[in-house]
Amino acid sequence: MSEPSSSPPIQVALVEDDVFFARALADSIRVAPDMRLQGLAANCRQAFQMLTQPAADVLLVDLGLPDGPGMDIIRAAQRQWPRCAVMVSSVFGDEAHVIQSLEAGATGYLLKDSTPMQIVEEIRNVHAGGSPISPLIARQLLTRFRQAMATEAAPVPPLQAGGPQEEQARLSPRERQVLDYITKGFSYEEIGGLMGVSRNTVLSFVRRIYAKLKVRSQLEAIYEARVQGLLHS
């Protein structure tokens, strides 16, 4: 279900030094009926100044800025705009940049092969409580994660029959199904199609999963679910 027209627009701030990409993205945000471009910075200095202004709802950050790392902007936003959802948009798709960004406080990570309209849709996603990650990155990190799990010297044993079942009982069957699809790298739209529900319903499942597992991102949710024995693949 779409938001009612009386809902306040999503306040979006951008930190992007690529003039053409920034212009295309800003134009897409301006024409979106449910969004407002609150601020646009081309470097760290301008971004730090922007963070002294009223908080945005979503902050989109490029990592490769001319006067410093975008990671510093993410950390500063966590302090100064604690309720703002931060999403990375970058050409860097390596594991180190992704993990560092998530640890710094980002809740989404998109590669710049996404179109401005796709990014606008993911801004809605992260504002609604999702944690969008480009499929290529998600699959890469999940492969790395599975390799690490396979080489652990002491795998986590399953819960014993008759023992405490609190951890495994926390997710409903539908929530486990959504988490299983996320683990396999499906997008929210694909999950909705497979389950016969809307994308918003999938997002509702995701929000409940995050709350129950006490995590903030897809990768954290997958890790925590595996540790608790909630996933079997």
Side-chain angles (χ1 to χ4, degrees), residues 6-193:
S6 59
S7 298
I10 303 170
Q11 303 291 324
V12 183
L14 306 180
V15 182
E16 174 59 63
D17 71 320
D18 184 321
V19 175
F20 297 103
F21 187 81
R23 183 180 302 161
L25 186 52
D27 288 345
S28 296
I29 292 171
R30 289 189 182 104
V31 300
D34 57 342
M35 293 184 191
R36 176 180 175 272
L37 183 61
Q38 177 172 307
L40 175 59
N43 52 49
C44 286
R45 180 183 59 81
Q46 293 177 4
F48 287 130
Q49 177 61 35
M50 186 168 63
L51 290 174
T52 66
Q53 305 301 314
D57 297 313
V58 177
L59 174 64
L60 192 65
V61 180
D62 182 16
L63 297 182
L65 300 172
D67 58 343
M71 216 76 68
D72 290 346
I73 307 302
I74 299 174
R75 296 188 184 98
Q78 289 296 295
R79 296 190 300 270
Q80 295 175 247
W81 291 356
R83 295 186 179 180
C84 177
V86 180
M87 186 163 60
V88 170
S89 173
S90 178
V91 297
F92 301 121
D94 59 283
E95 180 181 344
H97 279 94
V98 177
I99 295 300
Q100 289 173 14
S101 298
L102 296 177
E103 289 177 345
T107 54
Y109 198 109
L110 302 178
L111 293 176
K112 283 190 176 177
D113 58 359
S114 303
T115 67
M117 291 308 297
Q118 287 172 331
I119 293 177
V120 165
E121 182 59 29
E122 296 300 2
I123 290 172
R124 296 187 180 100
N125 183 345
V126 75
H127 181 252
S131 182
I133 296 179
S134 290
L136 181 63
I137 291 177
R139 287 180 173 88
Q140 171 186 317
L141 292 180
L142 288 171
T143 298
R144 176 76 171 180
F145 176 80
R146 288 176 180 134
Q147 290 172 346
M149 291 291 290
T151 57
E152 284 184 352
V156 177
L159 294 176
Q160 299 297 316
Q165 295 296 312
E166 178 183 359
E167 297 298 336
Q168 286 194 317
R170 290 165 69 181
L171 298 186
S172 71
R174 295 285 271 177
E175 289 163 354
R176 291 196 191 195
Q177 186 180 13
V178 169
L179 188 56
D180 183 61
Y181 283 135
I182 289 174
T183 303
K184 292 178 171 65
F186 289 100
S187 69
Y188 293 154
E189 289 81 2
E190 291 169 335
I191 294 172

Side-chain angles (χ1 to χ4, degrees), residues 171-227:
L171 298 186
S172 71
R174 295 285 271 177
E175 289 163 354
R176 291 196 191 195
Q177 186 180 13
V178 169
L179 188 56
D180 183 61
Y181 283 135
I182 289 174
T183 303
K184 292 178 171 65
F186 289 100
S187 69
Y188 293 154
E189 289 81 2
E190 291 169 335
I191 294 172
L194 289 167
M195 296 179 65
V197 299
S198 70
R199 183 177 182 278
N200 284 341
T201 299
V202 174
L203 284 173
S204 296
F205 282 127
V206 170
R207 285 193 289 270
R208 291 202 294 268
I209 291 168
Y210 286 2
K212 290 181 178 181
L213 297 181
K214 299 179 181 178
V215 298
R216 294 178 42 178
S217 71
Q218 290 180 358
L219 294 178
E220 289 176 331
I222 292 166
Y223 175 80
E224 188 64 26
R226 286 193 182 278
V227 167

